[in-house]
Amino acid sequence: MVQHLRVTYNDIHNLIRKSTPELAQYNPDLLVAIGGGGFFPARVMRTFLREVTEHKALQIQAIGLSLYEPVEGTSVDQIGQEVIRTQWLGPDSGKLLLGRRNLIVDEVDDTRKTLHYALSELQKDVEVELLKYPESERAALREATKFGIFVVHNKNKAKLAELPADTPYYAGATVEDLWLDYPWEAIDIEAHDRDAAADKAHD
């Protein structure tokens, strides 16, 4: 039987609040939310980081990636196997990222495929942008461009992709390999919250 962990909006809010001191040390200039699970966490994170850093106009940009959900024009065989890009930062992606401390935000690190894809593709965009600069300036610009990752939950399981060892990585909580029920997937949010409270009472 599959074990479920019901997560509430308050749970997510509090995990991000708890993570804020570490995230403030990374001090991102830009949040890149992976849709759709990274949208709500990124918005909450922006509120906390604006309070404790100098980035009062901290921006959130969005990318759309799908691994487990069907996407028009893809086959059933691709679901769970291949990351599909559904939305990106636009034609000047690299310009937006270059020279900034970028933080990729998602709800869960499950197989790590989605995070690996997002990071590697955003880094490719930076490399394309760097070609517009004199070679003498590229090393300094590349060094000034950083990427970190934040997830609300990291599943304690073998990953199917790796991240560079020097990538700053933050997780609100590490959990076992459970089925995570997020509140934005609930039709009846009151019932979801009641079930989550009952689960906590039994722990």
Side-chain angles (χ1 to χ4, degrees):
M1 183 177 177
V2 177
Q3 286 186 289
H4 287 246
L5 176 61
R6 294 176 181 87
V7 183
T8 68
Y9 284 114
N10 282 1
D11 292 334
I12 296 165
H13 197 277
N14 288 326
L15 286 173
I16 294 170
R17 177 176 53 80
K18 185 185 74 172
S19 302
T20 297
E22 270 192 300
L23 296 170
Q25 288 184 9
Y26 178 69
N27 197 20
D29 302 306
L30 181 70
L31 305 179
V32 181
I34 299 178
F39 293 160
F40 178 76
R43 182 60 188 86
V44 174
M45 183 184 298
R46 179 176 182 266
T47 296
F48 285 121
L49 288 175
R50 287 177 68 198
E51 286 294 311
V52 297
T53 71
E54 74 277 14
H55 298 302
K56 304 307 179 187
L58 183 61
Q59 289 186 21
I60 302 173
Q61 296 289 332
I63 58 176
L65 300 176
S66 179
L67 181 59
Y68 295 112
E69 295 180 2
V71 175
E72 186 176 349
T74 62
S75 68
V76 174
D77 293 338
Q78 289 175 283
I79 296 175
Q81 301 300 317
E82 183 179 342
V83 178
I84 306 297
R85 184 191 295 200
T86 60
Q87 175 183 329
W88 208 245
L89 298 178
D92 294 323
S93 173
K95 184 177 181 180
L96 184 67
L97 302 164
L98 188 66
R100 289 187 168 186
R101 300 177 68 83
N102 306 285
L103 186 66
I104 300 167
V105 182
D106 207 0
E107 88 275 41
V108 62
D109 182 359
D110 186 3
T111 64
R112 199 161 282 175
K113 280 185 174 184
T114 301
L115 292 170
H116 175 268
Y117 180 93
L119 177 59
S120 60
E121 292 298 302
L122 292 170
Q123 287 175 326
K124 287 178 189 176
D125 290 349
V126 168
E127 290 301 316
V128 170
E129 183 66 21
L130 282 170
L131 295 176
K132 300 175 185 178
Y133 289 81
E135 191 169 351
S136 60
E137 298 177 17
R138 292 177 193 169
L141 285 168
R142 186 180 289 111
E143 177 62 26
T145 306
K146 307 293 184 184
F147 288 96
I149 289 172
F150 173 83
V151 293
V152 178
H153 295 105
N154 172 40
K155 288 191 179 182
N156 186 17
K157 61 185 287 188
K159 307 298 185 182
L160 300 181
E162 294 299 323
L163 300 171
D166 61 349
T167 304
Y169 179 93
Y170 310 94
T174 296
V175 297
E176 295 307 310
D177 190 12
L178 309 169
W179 189 278
L180 294 167
D181 294 328
Y182 286 102
W184 47 79
E185 296 166 345
I187 300 298
D188 186 337
I189 192 64
E190 285 80 12
H192 175 87
D193 286 350
R194 283 195 301 270
D195 290 341
D199 290 345
K200 289 182 176 71
H202 289 132
D203 286 346

